[in-house]
Amino acid sequence: MKVLVIGSGGREHAIIKSLKKNKRITKLYAAPGNGGISADAQCVPVKVVDIHAMTEFAVKESLDYVVVTPDDPLAVGMVDALEEKGIRCFGPKKEAARIESSKVFSKNLMKKYRIPTAAYETFSNYDEACQYLKSGIVSFPAVIKADGLALGKGVIIAEDLDEALAAINEIMRDKKFGQSGDSVVIEEYLKGPEITVLSFTDGKNIIPMISSMDHKRIYDGNKGPNTGGMGVIAPNPHYTKEIAKICEKEIFIPTIQALKKEGCPFKGCLYFGIMATEKGPMVIEYNARFGDPEAQAVLSLLETDLLEIMEAVTDEKLNEIDIIWKKEHAACVVLASAGYPSAYKTGCKINGLDSGGGAGKERILIFHAGTENKNGEFFTSGGRVLGVTAAGQSLESALGKAYDAVNMINFEGMYFRRDIGRY
Ligand code: AMP
Ligand code: GLY
C-alpha cells in the first residue's frame, strides 16, 4: 500500500512513525515533510494547500491512501479533491472542516444544538461590534476571536473596553489575519483547567482518544504569548471519569450528530478543546485535525494499529474496531528556537540526537517539527524544532525520561519549558 501524509510538523512525524508499524504499507510519502521525517518517509516538495499539484502527484503515484493532517489543506478542500480522483483519505471534507475554519460556524452550531460553550455574539460589521462592546452588556475580561484560521493567534483576551476595541480594530480594519478577520466572535471569558480530547469519528460513531493537556504559553508558569503548544502530558489529570461522561453525552455525541444533521458529517480526527468550568465542561474550540503536539503524546500510547483505525473511519466502520491504549502516561517537551513565537534564527546545528538524545532508547521518541537534514546532520528550520516524547508507568517517570533526553540535546538558542506537567 502506498500512503501519503500531508504536512511537515512534529504531529506528522508522530503519525508517520505510527503508520510505519503497519506491514501492509510498502511506501510512505510526506508532503512536504521535514529533515527528520525524511528518515521515515520519502519527502516530496508539494505545498500542503496546492490542490492541483497534490492530486496530480497522488494520481501519478497511484496512491492508495492519503492522510490530510494540517488545518489549511482541510479548509481548502484537499479531501474533496482527492476523493473526486478516487483516492481514499483520512480527514474531513471542506464543509465539515468549517468546524475549525469558521468560529462563527462552530459557535452557531453549538447554539443551535445546545452544546455547552461560552455565551457569544458574532459580528461582520465593525461599527456594530464596537457598539456592542460599548453597550454595557459585555463584562470584562472578554474574549475576541477572528472568525477564520489565524495560526492559533486569532484569540485575544481583552481585560477592558480599550483593549477590546483595539482588538476589533486590528482584526476587522487592519486585517491582521487577512480575510479571517472579516467576522468576529465576542464571547464570555471562561475559567478552569483546559483539556484536549482528540477523537476518531466516521460521521456516525465517535471514539475519544486518551485525554491530554497542552501547554500553550511560551514561558514557565503559563506566562507570555500563546504558541502552537510547548508540551503535552497524557492523560490529562483534570479529565475525571465524571467529566468524561458529561463530555460524551453533552458534547461529543451531540457534535457529530449536529454535523450529520447539517449535511456535513465529519470523518477524521475531531479535536475538542474543553474547559472544565464550575458550571461543567464547555467547548472552547474545535479543530478538524490532530493537535500538535497533542498527537505526539497521545499516539505514543496507542496500541491498536493506526492505519486500521484510519481505514475504519474512511469506511464508516468505526463501530467494528476496538481501540486499545497502553495503561501508561506520556509526556512531550517541545524544544524551540529562541524568539519563538516571534522571529527566530534558523540553520543552527542540532547536537546530541543520536548519542544522548535517547532516540530509539527505552520508550523515548524524538519527533522532528522544524529540522533540515544536510548530509545526515540536522539543522533547525522552524520555531518548534523537536518534540521529545516519553512514556512511563507514571507521569513522573514519563516526565523524568523526557527531560533526561532533553538534557542531551542542544542547539544554539534552544528554549523549552521546564514545567511541563506541573499544571
Ligand atoms: P483557541 O485558538 O480557540 O484555541 O484559543 C486559544 C486559547 O485562548 C485557548 O486555549 C484558551 O486558553 C483561550 N481561550 C479561548 N476562548 C476562551 C474563553 N472563552 N475563555 C477563556 N479563555 C479562552
Ligand atoms: N496544540 C494546539 C493545536 O494543535 O491546535
Side-chain angles (χ1 to χ4, degrees):
M1 224 175 139
K2 288 180 174 180
V3 178
L4 164 70
V5 175
I6 298 179
S8 64
R11 167 185 56 194
E12 285 74 8
H13 199 189
I15 289 172
I16 284 167
K17 285 261 191 214
S18 288
L19 289 175
K20 256 186 102 173
K21 295 181 202 159
N22 183 292
K23 300 273 183 292
R24 285 189 293 134
I25 298 179
T26 47
K27 181 91 191 172
L28 255 174
Y29 297 93
N34 65 37
I37 289 175
S38 68
D40 295 301
Q42 184 179 327
C43 294
V44 284
V46 179
K47 289 206 178 83
V48 296
V49 289
D50 190 339
I51 291 185
H52 179 73
M54 200 70 82
T55 47
E56 210 172 59
F57 172 76
V59 170
K60 190 175 104 242
E61 294 297 320
S62 312
L63 298 184
D64 297 293
Y65 200 69
V66 180
V67 181
V68 186
T69 321
D71 51 5
D72 30 2
L74 292 168
V76 298
M78 186 63 82
V79 170
D80 309 54
L82 287 162
E83 285 185 353
E84 268 165 35
K85 301 277 182 201
I87 293 161
R88 298 166 77 231
C89 294
F90 180 84
K93 289 189 178 181
K94 185 178 178 175
E95 293 275 288
R98 280 181 302 165
I99 199 155
E100 173 171 9
S101 64
S102 169
K103 293 203 193 285
V104 172
F105 172 80
S106 67
K107 291 298 288 191
N108 289 342
L109 188 86
M110 287 187 268
K111 189 186 262 178
K112 183 168 172 188
Y113 292 92
R114 297 174 187 276
I115 296 164
T117 189
Y120 74 100
E121 293 292 335
T122 64
F123 298 91
S124 52
N125 178 291
Y126 170 78
D127 293 322
E128 284 173 17
C130 294
Q131 265 169 27
Y132 172 70
L133 284 169
K134 290 181 196 161
S135 66
I137 313 169
V138 181
S139 51
F140 291 95
V143 184
I144 320 280
K145 299 184 171 184
D147 174 46
L149 300 177
L151 295 170
K153 292 176 186 164
V155 174
I156 293 131
I157 299 184
E159 295 296 334
D160 54 33
L161 178 61
D162 286 346
E163 277 186 32
L165 291 171
I168 295 285
N169 196 50
E170 268 190 358
I171 297 174
M172 298 188 88
R173 281 200 155 162
D174 297 348
K175 295 280 179 206
K176 191 173 174 189
F177 308 110
Q179 279 183 1
S180 288
D182 287 352
S183 301
V184 289
V185 172
I186 301 177
E187 72 175 29
E188 170 198 13
Y189 177 76
L190 300 177
K191 268 197 249 156
E194 282 186 52
I195 301 163
T196 301
V197 182
L198 307 175
S199 67
F200 292 108
T201 172
D202 61 4
K204 297 181 288 195
N205 308 286
I206 181 160
I207 304 183
M209 302 182 211
I210 296 276
S211 64
S212 56
M213 181 194 267
D214 192 9
H215 296 64
K216 283 208 168 81
R217 306 290 197 100
I218 185 78
Y219 301 127
D220 282 9
N222 283 342
K223 300 214 166 66
N226 263 333
T227 68
M230 294 299 294
V232 177
I233 55 164
N236 184 318
H238 298 286
Y239 195 59
T240 59
K241 282 205 172 97
E242 192 195 358
I243 293 181
K245 233 183 195 168
I246 302 173
C247 284
E248 209 144 313
K249 185 160 160 261
E250 296 185 1
I251 297 174
F252 303 160
I253 295 170
T255 300
I256 59 154
Q257 286 176 345
L259 286 162
K260 198 165 160 227
K261 277 202 191 123
E262 292 298 307
C264 46
F266 188 104
K267 289 167 69 170
C269 172
L270 183 52
Y271 171 128
F272 297 90
I274 301 212
M275 198 169 269
T277 75
E278 275 176 3
K279 289 191 231 155
M282 293 195 185
V283 177
I284 286 278
E285 62 159 345
Y286 292 110
N287 290 325
R289 52 173 174 83
F290 286 92
D292 187 353
E294 287 95 329
Q296 288 86 313
V298 172
L299 291 179
S300 74
L301 298 177
L302 180 64
E303 194 86 64
T304 309
D305 183 89
L306 180 60
L307 182 69
E308 302 283 332
I309 304 173
M310 287 182 159
E311 289 191 296
V313 165
T314 307
D315 300 338
E316 298 175 22
K317 288 182 177 165
L318 203 50
N319 55 320
E320 292 179 16
I321 200 160
D322 267 336
I323 301 183
I324 317 247
W325 298 93
K326 295 190 177 95
K327 297 212 167 15
E328 288 186 335
H329 294 254
C332 170
V333 179
V334 170
L335 307 185
S337 302
Y340 173 77
S342 301
Y344 51 80
K345 189 175 158 184
T346 57
C348 304
K349 185 167 181 289
I350 306 170
N351 302 303
L353 278 175
D354 296 333
S355 52
K361 277 197 194 154
E362 189 215 0
R363 312 300 318 282
I364 293 170
L365 291 159
I366 299 182
F367 299 118
H368 289 234
T371 71
E372 207 183 334
N373 182 341
K374 285 189 203 158
N375 305 320
E377 291 193 320
F378 289 101
F379 295 82
T380 65
S381 66
R384 290 189 291 176
V385 177
L386 299 165
V388 180
T389 307
Q393 290 301 318
S394 65
L395 176 60
E396 283 309 311
S397 111
L399 284 167
K401 285 186 204 175
Y403 276 108
D404 282 350
V406 165
N407 286 332
M408 306 288 190
I409 302 172
N410 65 76
F411 54 84
E412 189 193 324
M414 182 173 108
Y415 171 78
F416 59 94
R417 274 184 65 166
R418 292 169 191 276
D419 65 347
I420 300 304
R422 305 273 170 245
Y423 280 86

